[in-house]
Amino acid sequence: MINVAIVDDEKEMRDSLKGYFDEYTRVKGEKFRIFDYAGSIDFLNEYKANYDLVLMDIDMPNMNGIDAARRLRAADKSVTLVFVTNMAQFAVEGYEVNAFDYIVKPVSLYDFSMKLDRALERIKKESDVRIKINVGHTVKVLSSKSIKYAEVTGHKLVYHTTEGDFATTYTLRELEQKLANNGFCKCNNCYLVNLRYVNGVDGQCVDVDGNKLQISFSKRKEFMRTLNDYLGSGGG
């Protein structure tokens, strides 16, 4: 089940898109749970990082889609964002907020289906993995999408996440195997990096959401190849 948020001030447009999702399900069998919002402020006020895909209009009252997307990215860097707009001239600003794609109104079923194919390919490539860790005397479940990077320090494995830092006795090798094919890569033997949080590479350091991590000489070639493949497939 794919969770989708439609954010558009025009009810007719929201209903039309929901109809397209129904048709996509009929033809291809993919199932969706749809939530629709008449404005960006309501969407942001109720936002929880449980969506796989957000379809957002740009031209909306009170807060336009670009400004809303900036606030969205402050809360969720990874959700797949597609602008649905009649303001194609502003869609290039989507790169600033890491928009995956945009669809120009009026939206045809063919164009919608083609763009949705691409978005789902990306979403499934980055499917979420749930990881149970022991924190003190309790068990906590982490979403792989919330992990920025994992770090070996002493005899502990520390998860640096959007919710804070958590130390466990899990090994980095075990974690790497569990997260194989989910957009993670080692930059050295101490760090396993979630590529969706990479802001850039400068020399022998990678910026992971503001944290500078060392790239070892032995890992650099593999790390850069994996990062370029990830970016080339629409990630990041």
Side-chain angles (χ1 to χ4, degrees):
M1 184 76 72
I2 304 296
N3 289 335
V4 179
I6 299 173
V7 188
D8 195 302
D9 60 307
E10 297 178 359
K11 184 178 186 302
E12 183 179 351
M13 188 71 245
R14 299 196 306 273
D15 290 344
S16 177
L17 290 173
K18 285 189 282 187
Y20 285 169
F21 276 109
D22 288 342
E23 180 64 14
Y24 193 95
T25 296
R26 188 188 69 79
V27 173
K28 300 194 175 183
E30 192 72 61
K31 294 183 179 180
F32 303 91
R33 183 183 293 112
I34 308 294
F35 303 82
D36 66 301
Y37 298 88
S40 53
I41 293 177
D42 288 343
F43 166 68
L44 292 168
N45 286 342
E46 298 178 20
Y47 188 78
K48 296 179 182 178
N50 57 352
Y51 296 114
D52 302 294
L53 174 64
V54 174
L55 301 184
M56 184 178 291
D57 186 18
I58 290 180
D59 185 18
M60 291 186 288
N62 300 318
M63 181 185 295
N64 66 52
I66 297 295
D67 290 338
R70 292 190 182 102
R71 283 186 53 184
L72 171 64
R73 285 300 180 221
D76 189 337
K77 290 181 178 294
S78 62
V79 66
T80 298
L81 172 64
V82 175
F83 285 120
V84 183
T85 180
N86 55 13
M87 304 177 71
Q89 67 271 28
F90 296 112
V92 292
E93 295 186 44
Y95 291 110
E96 178 188 337
V97 291
N98 192 21
F100 177 74
D101 207 339
Y102 68 94
I103 306 173
V104 177
K105 295 179 181 180
V107 181
S108 69
L109 177 59
Y110 174 80
D111 195 26
F112 173 87
S113 298
M114 183 176 64
K115 298 298 180 78
L116 185 56
D117 282 343
R118 292 187 64 243
L120 292 180
E121 182 180 354
R122 187 226 187 194
I123 290 166
K124 291 178 180 179
K125 183 176 180 180
E126 300 182 358
S127 58
D128 195 19
V129 177
R130 299 290 175 173
I131 299 169
K132 293 181 180 179
I133 62 173
N134 294 316
V135 180
H137 299 291
T138 65
V139 175
K140 182 173 181 61
V141 179
L142 294 178
S143 161
S144 62
K145 293 181 179 180
S146 74
I147 301 171
K148 300 175 185 179
Y149 66 98
E151 174 186 10
V152 174
T153 174
H155 298 291
K156 295 287 186 179
L157 178 64
V158 179
Y159 293 85
H160 299 272
T161 80
T162 56
E163 303 175 53
D165 298 342
F166 304 96
T168 75
T169 55
Y170 211 62
T171 71
L172 195 63
R173 180 182 293 275
E174 289 173 319
L175 182 62
E176 184 180 20
Q177 291 173 346
K178 192 171 183 66
L179 295 176
N181 303 316
N182 277 274
F184 284 77
C185 186
K186 281 183 177 178
C187 64
N188 65 42
N189 287 330
C190 295
Y191 298 117
L192 180 66
V193 174
N194 188 339
L195 299 178
R196 76 182 68 214
Y197 290 100
V198 171
N199 293 328
V201 174
D202 184 6
Q204 290 300 120
C205 287
V206 55
D207 181 328
V208 183
D209 196 37
N211 300 282
K212 306 293 185 181
L213 308 182
Q214 190 74 23
I215 305 173
S216 67
F217 179 79
S218 62
K219 295 289 185 184
R220 181 177 176 81
K221 184 176 180 180
E222 177 188 357
F223 181 79
M224 293 305 298
R225 177 186 60 78
T226 305
L227 177 61
N228 286 332
D229 288 347
Y230 175 80
L231 295 173
S233 66

